[in-house]
Amino acid sequence: MTLAAHSGWLYVDAGASLAVRGVESALDLFTSAGGEISPVRARAGSNAGHIALQGAEGLFLAGHLDGWAPAGASAGSVSVALDAQARNDAP
């Protein structure tokens, strides 16, 4: 997820939630042992995503950033950039 303000401030208000959570699910896999097929329950999960916050003049971050991931997966990441040279002041 990328949020960018090319002029002015990027403002994430208190109470806002930016979420790039991973997911987790149970899977029923079937195995064959000795000619008999039997189900085996397994858990599978995915990595969380990335939050990129970019502002030209300033950033105000009072909200909640959520990059949860299930066990064995990578948690989310965040990058913050303040770059006045990225301003878009064209009328």
Side-chain angles (χ1 to χ4, degrees), residues 1 14-15 20 26 35-36 39 42 44 47-49 52-53 57-59 64 66-67 75-76 78-79 82 84:
M1 163 189 314
V20 291
E36 188 173 315
N47 297 335
L53 305 171
E57 296 176 28
L59 296 110
H64 176 76
D66 185 358
V78 64
S79 63
L82 181 61

Side-chain angles (χ1 to χ4, degrees), residues 1-86:
M1 163 189 314
T2 299
L3 299 176
H6 296 291
S7 67
W9 283 62
L10 177 66
Y11 189 90
V12 179
D13 199 3
S17 180
L18 306 179
V20 291
R21 296 171 61 95
V23 297
E24 182 177 38
S25 183
L27 302 174
D28 288 328
L29 304 176
F30 292 89
T31 61
S32 175
E36 188 173 315
I37 297 175
S38 59
V40 175
R41 172 104 352 156
R43 306 231 27 108
S46 68
N47 297 335
H50 179 75
I51 299 171
L53 305 171
Q54 305 165 357
E57 296 176 28
L59 296 110
F60 178 83
L61 307 174
H64 176 76
L65 307 179
D66 185 358
W68 175 88
S74 296
S77 60
V78 64
S79 63
V80 178
L82 181 61
D83 184 4
Q85 302 220 359

